[in-house]
Amino acid sequence: MDVLLIISHQLKEDEFERVQRLFSHMSIIAESDFKAVGRSLRRQEKAHKLFVFLSFDESLPEEWKIEELQLQSPIMVLLKVNKRDLFVFYSFLDSVGLLSKPSADVSAKPEISPMLYQSLEYIEQNLCENDLSLEKVASSIFVSRCHYSRMFKEYFGFGFKEYVMNKRIQKAKAMLQKGVPVTDVCYAVGYGDLTHFGRVFKRLVGINPSVYRGQRREAPSCG
């Protein structure tokens, strides 16, 4: 891989996985210990054309003295980075040909684009909002409703509406398992109509939410 991304923070497992999904064609190190970073870079130096040091803060940690690494390849430092910056950075690297990609496999799923990934982040953050819609998600990445719908279905093989329904029902199931009342769950996961919520839940799960809640609460615990 042409680019090595070095993040000067230790990330939680889910955060690291999200960064990995976006930068799937890069090697990534997320490490706050500069000495550990140095050891890793010495092992990998010849394998990369560009080293990118990234921080979500206004500066790298004081002990991060990059010049001491004496790297031969070009170095880029990105500071005070937010999520939108990550998408812009990905697009820049792709535009200048610094993302080495595996040879195409016609049977493989299309590669997720930075725009689609950004839209999934938006959906996740607004999943339980009653007014979440295809139009709003498309607008969040500045594309038309029709274009976004095609892009979404091309990657996932099913539509936006089905994706949101499944995400919401998974969340509803987790809440019902904890004994949260069905009406509260309905509104908490973004549905404004209890009857509609019940129909969607039964179609996807096979039983209505009140029965599901009762079964889960009555199930004996292990141990």
Side-chain angles (χ1 to χ4, degrees):
M1 295 186 180
D2 291 341
V3 181
L4 177 61
L5 180 64
I6 305 107
I7 303 173
S8 64
H9 313 267
Q10 287 185 327
L11 302 177
K12 296 177 182 177
E13 185 175 348
D14 61 328
E15 293 173 331
F16 188 78
E17 287 175 356
R18 286 161 67 187
V19 173
Q20 268 193 323
R21 284 198 300 271
L22 177 60
F23 297 110
S24 58
H25 301 304
M26 288 187 205
S27 297
I28 301 171
I29 298 173
E31 175 62 71
S32 57
D33 183 347
F34 185 64
K35 290 183 178 179
V37 170
R39 290 192 296 269
S40 183
L41 292 186
R42 281 190 286 274
R43 292 194 301 269
Q44 302 185 49
E45 181 174 2
K46 294 181 180 180
H48 304 286
K49 296 179 181 177
L50 175 68
F51 293 93
V52 180
F53 290 83
L54 181 151
S55 175
F56 303 126
D57 299 326
E58 294 187 357
S59 63
L60 289 170
E62 188 177 345
E63 67 275 14
W64 279 54
K65 302 187 186 302
I66 297 176
E67 65 277 5
E68 294 180 0
L69 297 172
Q70 298 183 338
L71 298 172
Q72 301 302 310
S73 297
I75 295 169
M76 181 183 292
V77 178
L78 303 176
L79 303 175
K80 207 174 180 180
V81 173
N82 58 37
K83 287 181 181 178
R84 183 171 292 276
D85 293 333
L86 290 176
F87 298 115
V88 173
F89 175 54
Y90 179 100
S91 298
F92 164 73
L93 292 176
D94 194 26
S95 69
V96 297
L98 275 172
L99 293 181
S100 298
K101 301 179 181 181
S103 57
D105 179 355
V106 292
S107 65
K109 180 185 287 189
E111 180 191 353
I112 190 167
S113 72
M115 283 199 308
L116 181 55
Y117 186 90
Q118 184 176 355
S119 77
L120 297 180
E121 292 276 305
Y122 181 89
I123 293 171
E124 195 67 36
Q125 292 166 6
N126 297 275
L127 181 66
C128 299
E129 298 297 323
N130 185 251
D131 62 348
L132 178 67
S133 65
L134 179 63
E135 289 83 355
K136 290 192 74 171
V137 179
S139 294
S140 76
I141 57 171
F142 309 105
V143 299
S144 72
R145 177 183 184 278
C146 292
H147 177 75
Y148 181 70
S149 181
R150 285 194 301 270
M151 180 171 63
F152 194 99
K153 195 161 188 177
E154 179 185 359
Y155 184 79
F156 287 105
F158 51 81
F160 164 83
K161 185 176 179 180
E162 186 177 352
Y163 177 85
V164 170
M165 280 195 305
N166 276 281
K167 294 280 287 184
R168 284 176 168 174
I169 295 305
Q170 288 303 316
K171 187 174 182 65
K173 286 168 66 177
M175 294 179 70
L176 291 168
Q177 288 172 16
K178 295 176 181 178
V180 179
V182 174
T183 301
D184 293 347
V185 173
C186 167
Y187 296 119
V189 300
Y191 288 95
D193 181 276
L194 189 59
T195 302
H196 178 59
F197 168 67
R199 283 199 298 265
V200 173
F201 191 96
K202 187 171 184 178
R203 177 158 66 86
L204 296 181
V205 182
I207 56 177
N208 66 47
S210 58
V211 173
Y212 182 87
R213 177 177 180 269
Q215 287 180 348
R216 294 293 168 168
R217 295 200 74 193
E218 292 167 8
S221 59
C222 299

